[in-house]
């Protein structure tokens, strides 16, 4: 079955010293995690964190990328540059970028395809706002974002993508979606992925939940068969809380694995 995946999204946090210390503590606390673990520091700390993680099972990822390989795009970083640094994954279409930086579905789609072309796994984020949920638009919104974000991606490449369901009302608020709420949307997304690729491919694609995931709620969320792990913001900035989440996700309802 799908290997659980826990991704740390450090957002715009951390000096180089802090990034090194956090990455070292996570690495040392998770010697043999039974989940795949990826840390996404800010661009400025990628090289330093890559050094810390070298030789460990913990992977490196980035929080964003551009859609071209190189060019006159001041301030941007291409997926080719991320690949060179050893990033195995890149978060694309995070709601904070959609909200504060005007990222559209069309841009998100170009980035997804650019990442795939460079062999970097896109982690596509989708999610509805509180208003949209109140209006009963959750499925419409996430469907639009999923179809647009993955438009033009071949069924084979779809199998290399990861999706994160992150309801906006749950991000950084301390109010997580309930396991039932998340599971319902994950199931819906998996149904759409079956249509876009095939049932087999959709069964293999990991769909993560994100939004106020903590060590206390990660267990009940990740016990849901449709929830394949977590995209963690705030709680990933403390090694112990992040390690706690990884253990819960890895257990998937069983006993906690010994690291
Ligand atoms: P949070 O953020 O865990 O702090 O809610 C999640 C995210 O934005 O990816």
């Amino acid at each position: 079955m799908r290997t659980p995946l826990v991704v740390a999204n450090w957002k715009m946090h951390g000096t180089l010293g802090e990034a090194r210390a956090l990455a070292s503590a996570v690495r040392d606390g998770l010697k043999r995690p039974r989940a795949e673990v990826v840390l996404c520091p800010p661009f400025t700390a990628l090289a330093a964190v890559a050094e810390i993680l070298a030789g460990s099972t913990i992977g490196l990822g980035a929080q964003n990328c551009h859609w071209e390989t190189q060019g006159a795009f001041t301030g941007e970083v291409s997926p080719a540059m991320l690949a060179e640094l050893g990033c195995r994954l890149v978060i694309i279409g995070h709601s904070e970028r959609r909200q504060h930086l005007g990222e559209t579905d069309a841009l998100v789609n170009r980035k997804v395809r650019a990442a795939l072309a460079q062999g970097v796994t896109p982690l596509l984020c989708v999610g509805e706002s509180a208003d949209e949920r109140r209006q009963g638009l959750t499925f419409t919104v996430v469907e639009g974002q999923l179809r647009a974000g993955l438009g033009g991606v071949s069924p084979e490449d779809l199998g290399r993508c990861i999706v994160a369901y992150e309801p906006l009302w749950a991000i950084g608020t301390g109010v997580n979606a309930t396991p039932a709420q998340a599971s319902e949307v994950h199931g819906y997304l998996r149904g759409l992925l079956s249509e876009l690729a095939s049932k087999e491919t959709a069964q293999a694609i990991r769909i993560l939940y994100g939004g106020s995931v903590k060590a206390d709620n990660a267990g009940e969320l990740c016990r849901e068969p449709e929830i394949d792990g977590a995209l963690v913001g705030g709680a990933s900035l403390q090694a112990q809380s992040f390690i706690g989440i990884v253990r819960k996700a890895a257990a998937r309802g069983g006993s906690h694995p010994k690291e």
Side-chain angles (χ1 to χ4, degrees):
M1 271 307 280
R2 300 178 292 268
T3 307
L5 169 64
V6 183
V7 178
N9 175 10
W10 291 358
K11 306 193 181 182
M12 197 171 70
H13 291 289
T15 60
L16 266 186
E18 288 164 347
R20 282 196 187 100
L22 180 53
S24 306
V26 171
R27 178 201 59 197
D28 295 346
L30 291 171
K31 288 266 161 31
R32 279 177 287 115
R34 294 199 197 157
E36 186 181 349
V37 180
V38 176
L39 306 185
C40 301
F43 287 140
T44 48
L46 280 172
V49 171
E51 270 179 36
I52 304 274
L53 299 181
S56 81
T57 58
I58 300 177
L60 184 71
Q63 301 172 18
N64 176 42
C65 67
H66 194 263
W67 59 85
E68 294 288 351
T69 310
Q70 57 179 28
F73 299 103
T74 303
E76 292 293 325
V77 174
S78 78
M81 293 166 175
L82 298 179
E84 188 188 21
L85 278 173
C87 289
R88 69 165 81 144
L89 172 156
V90 57
I91 299 170
I92 297 179
H94 191 283
S95 63
E96 286 155 11
R97 298 196 58 84
R98 295 181 192 257
Q99 268 184 305
H100 306 306
L101 292 147
E103 275 198 12
T104 60
D105 281 329
L107 268 192
V108 167
N109 176 245
R110 291 178 77 176
K111 292 179 176 200
V112 164
R113 287 186 287 147
L116 285 166
Q118 296 299 327
V120 182
T121 299
L123 169 49
L124 170 66
C125 301
V126 302
E128 83 288 359
S129 67
D131 263 2
E132 289 162 342
R133 177 164 277 265
R134 264 193 298 275
Q135 292 169 46
L137 294 173
T138 299
F139 291 141
T140 313
V141 170
V142 298
E143 175 166 359
Q145 291 172 335
L146 190 85
R147 285 190 188 277
L150 298 178
V153 176
S154 69
E156 194 192 11
D157 277 350
L158 282 173
R160 297 166 50 209
C161 296
I162 300 170
V163 176
Y165 169 56
E166 295 207 307
L168 273 61
W169 46 270
I171 296 179
T173 59
V175 182
N176 59 288
T178 64
Q181 282 173 323
S183 199
E184 186 185 29
V185 178
H186 284 224
Y188 186 72
L189 292 170
R190 201 175 303 285
L192 293 170
L193 291 167
S194 303
E195 267 179 45
L196 294 171
S198 67
K199 191 148 187 273
E200 293 66 42
T201 303
Q203 282 305 320
I205 295 176
R206 285 174 294 182
I207 306 180
L208 311 184
Y209 166 76
S212 297
V213 176
K214 309 259 180 302
D216 318 355
N217 58 24
E220 57 171 16
L221 285 160
C222 293
R223 261 196 295 279
E224 292 291 325
E226 280 298 340
I227 301 181
D228 303 315
L231 176 53
V232 188
S236 71
L237 294 172
Q238 300 261 320
Q240 283 319 310
S241 64
F242 184 68
I243 289 167
I245 292 169
V246 173
R247 290 191 174 133
K248 296 279 175 58
R252 284 283 238 170
S255 57
H256 294 180
K258 289 203 184 62
E259 248 79 56

